[in-house]
Amino acid sequence: MDAKGNGRLVVITGASQGIGAATALAFARKEACRIVLIARNVEKLNDVAAQCAATDAATHVFGCDVTDTNAVQNVTGEILDKLGAPDVVVNNAGSFAPSSIADMSPDIWQSQIDSNLTSSFLVTRAFLNSMIARRSGTFVFMGSVASIKGYPGGAAYCAAKHGVLGLARSLRAECIEHGIRVITFLPGA
């Protein structure tokens, strides 16, 4: 297991900052693995990649808006062709835009659903069949305490994160017989 391309393949979305970047560094420090970093901001991804590479982890950067179906298909297709099926997929991409329901525009609503929920669906769907064929792997979903509790000014985010938990639970039920694990984290503020 070394930086030459051996070890588990870990794909992380929203890896340019915050929890995604911290997750990438944790994998890089913990074990010999190959890490795929996905986010829109390639400059920040390159910074995270450099930190991971300093630990001898083989790191690959892919700029992608994971709310865009075609972009996800292109990037995941390239990953599958060049690196193979992932061992771990961390669906971390997301955003938060506070707004009351009365003041929320339909665009803000849709943006929150897309960045927090649709992205997880698109990325999971893109890698799922390759992991089923191999009969192994782990999907990790970044939920939130908002996955189980609503709060004022966060209706779109809460709805999306409730959806993330529901998506993960459905995936778990579908994947039990295929040897694929599904984990959902619910961090607080």
Side-chain angles (χ1 to χ4, degrees):
M1 308 283 190
D2 59 24
K4 302 289 187 237
N6 297 315
R8 294 194 311 163
L9 180 62
V10 179
V11 175
I12 304 167
T13 68
S16 62
Q17 61 188 359
I19 293 172
T23 301
L25 289 168
F27 270 106
R29 291 178 182 135
K30 180 75 175 162
E31 65 178 273
C33 60
R34 300 170 295 147
I35 302 172
V36 172
L37 307 173
I38 301 173
R40 292 175 298 189
N41 189 321
V42 175
E43 185 176 332
K44 286 184 179 180
L45 282 178
N46 285 328
D47 291 342
V48 175
Q51 293 173 56
C52 291
T55 69
D56 207 28
T59 309
H60 309 272
V61 170
F62 291 89
C64 179
D65 177 351
V66 291
T67 69
D68 179 318
T69 303
N70 291 330
V72 170
Q73 289 174 344
N74 291 337
V75 164
T76 57
E78 187 176 350
I79 293 165
L80 289 167
D81 288 344
K82 291 181 177 179
L83 302 169
D87 297 287
V88 179
V89 175
V90 180
N91 285 301
N92 173 70
S95 63
F96 176 70
S99 180
S100 68
I101 294 171
D103 295 331
M104 187 182 307
S105 72
D107 288 342
I108 293 294
W109 171 267
Q110 194 61 57
S111 172
Q112 290 292 277
I113 299 299
D114 288 345
S115 67
N116 292 291
L117 176 58
T118 304
S119 64
S120 291
F121 163 73
L122 293 174
V123 171
T124 297
R125 188 172 132 246
F127 288 122
L128 182 58
N129 286 335
S130 65
M131 293 166 78
I132 287 174
R134 194 182 56 215
R135 299 196 56 78
S136 69
T138 302
F139 283 99
V140 178
F141 291 85
M142 195 55 59
S144 165
V145 293
S147 296
I148 56 174
K149 181 180 180 181
Y151 54 86
Y157 182 78
C158 291
K161 290 299 186 176
H162 271 72
V164 166
L165 185 57
L167 173 63
R169 286 175 170 168
S170 294
L171 181 66
R172 183 181 305 113
E174 291 181 15
C175 288
I176 287 174
E177 66 187 69
H178 300 295
I180 297 170
R181 296 184 319 155
V182 180
I183 301 165
T184 307
F185 289 102
L186 306 178

